Amino acid sequence: MPIMVRLSFPPSQGIDVVQKARRLTIIGLERALLLGVVLTSLLSSAYGQSRYATSDNLSGYVHWIELYDAANNRIAADMENPPPYSPATTCGRCHDFNTISHGWHFNSVDDTLHGRPGQPWIWSDPRTGTHLPLSYRDWDGTLDPDQLGISRWQMAAKFGGFLPGGGPGSTESLQQEVAPFNGSETIDRTHITGALPVDCMLCHHRPGSGYSPFVWTEQIEDQNFAFAPTAALGVGTVSGSTKRLKDDFDPAAEGAAKQLPQVQYEGERFRKDGKVFFDLIRTPENSSCYYCHSNISSNSVTGERWLHDDDVHLRAGFRCADCHRNGLEHHTVRGFEGEQLPAEASVASLSCQGCHVGDHSGQPLEMTGRMGAPRPQHKGLPPVHFEKMTCTACHSGPAVSPIAGRELNSIAHRLGTHVKRTGNELPGIVAPVIMPAAEFSGSSDEPPVTHQARYTPHRLMWPSYWGTIKDGTVTAMNPDQAYELVRKDLKVRREFTEELGEVKLSLSERTQLLGEDRARAKPEDWTAEEQKKIADAEEVARTSQVAERMGLALAAIEEAMPGTQSIYISGGQGFVRDQEGIKTIDAEELKNAADPYAWPLAHNVRPARQSLGATGCTECHSDQSLFFNAEIAPVGLLPNQQTTSIKSHVLQQADMERLGRWNQMFQGRSMFKVFGLLALAVAGLISLVMFSNHIGSLASRHR
């Protein structure tokens, strides 16, 4: 009796294996041996794939699972001094954690992934007036944290609360040595905190499940890296803060465990068999994306949020992940034209043009009209517009206004924290600014190809930082080193602009201005004339105080770094010492060191009737057009700093003389069309009359 062996393989391999097995009885010994080698290889491959679970049912899978710590030990609710749970060992038992954790959101330190510039990490230090755009990628206008002596651990500690883990805080990244900046110490507490764990639930939790990304951020800011997933999930509470431990703390020392944060698990979250319910979803909901990707107008925080509309796609019921998709490797589609993913998958139909306008490729998943997207008509719009402008130039972001407005975003302004906001929080980000943006494409192992720049709406921020000048080149300083050098002379504890310009006249000074009796009166009892005298005197004192403190701070830097000239950059200007005090240097003299950093925006998308140009050609083609003449005001941090607003056509480098001649063609264009149609009608009528007369004449001749 033949022995039947049933092997289980993935579908693509199973057919091949069965066919070869059936031919075993008719092939020779040599081929049988060769087949054995093939079978061994297939079995090995099948085993590798079978390690990970999949759910092909669209209903998903209910996750009642056991918790495991970083050492792969099972966690019980009644354990004494229990460790925090580890997503890597808990989720990784069924999912290919290594593949997942190298996607777009986890690889901010990977400069091999190309694409157009995006939002930077903005290193803000309110004590020194520092707001630096940082990126490990070679984005023009950003600074490399490594070159500034900012350690990977520092980046993880400062920005890890808005990462799903990994990134600069991954084990591989933390092993990267970062050289100190000009002899300064490099801050690295990896030996205490460990690596920043990847937390799947940050994106995959179901809204209302109890998972809190805000708790995740709070734990990261307390440097409780390993404890953040446990606290955010709500399966346990964490007490204590690693941030309070000294730099020389040794976690392996005797009794050290008692000084580390402690976990208290919620017993009712555990079933009798020790399993815990993870209320998760396969496709992230919008609220998960919003935690890091919210961008709101500054007037939203002053009670005018009800005046703003949602993205037109969201109003139609879309989710962020409908367009910003990813596979198992989690290389999320960003959606710009020409984008190429490392897997070389075609994502052309997931851009605006690819979905709504682009040609059909013949492949179902690469065709236009995804999810019922309509094809826009653009009646009367000359094709040249599509060569010069992106879809977002007309359809995305706030409507163009006479003065570009301020915006706040999740990461830079920590949206969601319980503070009272004014809308003028720093760093100052303005939008929309319509300017050319080079488009990029290229595979993961090739340099990006730059295509023709087209008009695109941007967000803009002016950097502010302390630096040095040597041989005409400005070099930004490490923020921590700058603080140590200038803090004594600036006399600022919390907020640079406010405290640097804070002055209060003494009683003797008020007496000299108002007289002894009026000087002792309450400020609200002063007359308008008296209030003006005090305000004018305070302004003089403020100007003197700012110049004195800034001069001393700049001198302290030069003393610590001989052979260099110190400088403070803010609002597109530079400030240096000279014999008369503080001298202002304009941006043109600073070789781009004070230029703003800009990155394209794509949302919120407005409906067609609210798009740019919907009211007619003169919305852009006129001398007063906001497209070319909107004002952009640099945000300066020095008290009473006088910055110079610029028109958008300056950033666009547009030929305004040529545009002026072009605009004249559109003056009275509507009336010209009316007169043209009337003239055509009259000419047609005359022709008809003449033709009728001619026919009548011919008829009379024949009679």
Side-chain angles (χ1 to χ4, degrees), residues 19 56 67 74 76 80 277 337 347 484 500 507 564 608:
Q19 290 175 344
D56 297 328
L67 299 182
R74 183 177 172 182
E80 185 177 352
F277 177 56
E337 294 175 30
V347 293
E484 292 300 327
L500 188 61
L507 178 60
T564 62

Side-chain angles (χ1 to χ4, degrees), residues 329-341:
E329 76 293 333
H330 280 57
H331 287 296
T332 305
V333 174
R334 296 174 67 193
F336 58 86
E337 294 175 30
E339 180 179 14
Q340 290 289 331
L341 296 187

Side-chain angles (χ1 to χ4, degrees), residues 337 352-358 374-387 389-396 454 605-609 611-614 617:
E337 294 175 30
C352 301
Q353 181 169 325
C355 189
H356 288 275
V357 182
R375 185 180 181 89
Q377 298 300 314
H378 291 126
K379 293 181 179 179
L381 190 65
V384 69
H385 289 79
F386 303 107
E387 299 174 6
M389 305 168 68
T390 60
C391 304
T392 54
C394 297
H395 291 277
S396 294
R454 297 193 293 171
V605 177
R606 304 190 303 275
R609 286 175 291 178
S611 63
L612 187 64
C617 301

Side-chain angles (χ1 to χ4, degrees), residues 499-519:
E499 295 179 41
L500 188 61
E502 187 176 21
V503 296
K504 186 176 181 180
L505 300 181
S506 64
L507 178 60
S508 60
E509 290 172 325
R510 296 199 304 271
T511 300
Q512 187 176 359
L513 291 170
L514 306 179
E516 186 172 353
D517 291 339
R518 297 301 297 164

Side-chain angles (χ1 to χ4, degrees), residues 122-123 129-134 141-143 427-428 460-466 476 568-573 592-598 635-637 641:
I122 303 177
W123 186 285
T130 296
H131 299 283
L132 273 173
L134 305 177
T142 62
L143 298 171
L460 212 68
M461 65 88 61
W462 276 263
S464 55
Y465 58 91
W466 298 84
Y568 177 67
I569 301 286
S570 174
Q573 300 171 326
N592 303 324
D595 289 354
Y597 175 73
V635 180
L637 271 67
Q641 180 179 344

Side-chain angles (χ1 to χ4, degrees), residues 173-237:
S173 177
L174 292 173
Q175 292 172 350
Q176 176 76 32
E177 293 186 8
V178 177
F181 181 89
N182 286 340
S184 63
E185 294 184 4
T186 300
I187 301 174
D188 190 343
R189 290 164 56 88
T190 305
H191 68 286
I192 302 176
T193 64
L196 182 65
V198 171
D199 189 359
C200 310
M201 294 298 290
L202 191 64
C203 295
H204 291 282
H205 71 273
R206 186 185 302 277
S209 65
Y211 183 94
S212 173
F214 297 98
V215 173
W216 162 268
T217 300
E218 291 170 0
Q219 290 293 317
I220 301 301
E221 290 177 346
D222 279 340
Q223 299 179 14
N224 296 343
F225 287 7
F227 299 85
T230 300
L233 184 62
V235 71
T237 57

Side-chain angles (χ1 to χ4, degrees), residues 270-344:
F270 288 73
R271 212 165 57 178
K272 287 185 178 181
D273 59 2
K275 294 183 178 181
V276 174
F277 177 56
F278 280 64
D279 194 3
L280 56 81
I281 49 180
R282 184 198 305 263
T283 303
E285 291 287 351
N286 295 345
S287 58
S288 297
C289 305
Y290 289 153
Y291 182 68
C292 295
H293 296 286
S294 286
N295 291 277
I296 63 173
S297 174
S298 61
N299 61 17
S300 294
V301 302
T302 59
E304 299 183 24
R305 193 165 187 168
W306 62 279
L307 292 173
H308 297 269
D309 296 330
D310 290 333
D311 186 289
V312 66
H313 297 94
L314 300 181
R315 296 294 296 174
F318 279 41
R319 294 176 297 182
C320 304
D322 288 334
C323 296
H324 300 286
R325 305 181 181 190
N326 60 265
L328 180 64
E329 76 293 333
H330 280 57
H331 287 296
T332 305
V333 174
R334 296 174 67 193
F336 58 86
E337 294 175 30
E339 180 179 14
Q340 290 289 331
L341 296 187
E344 307 299 335

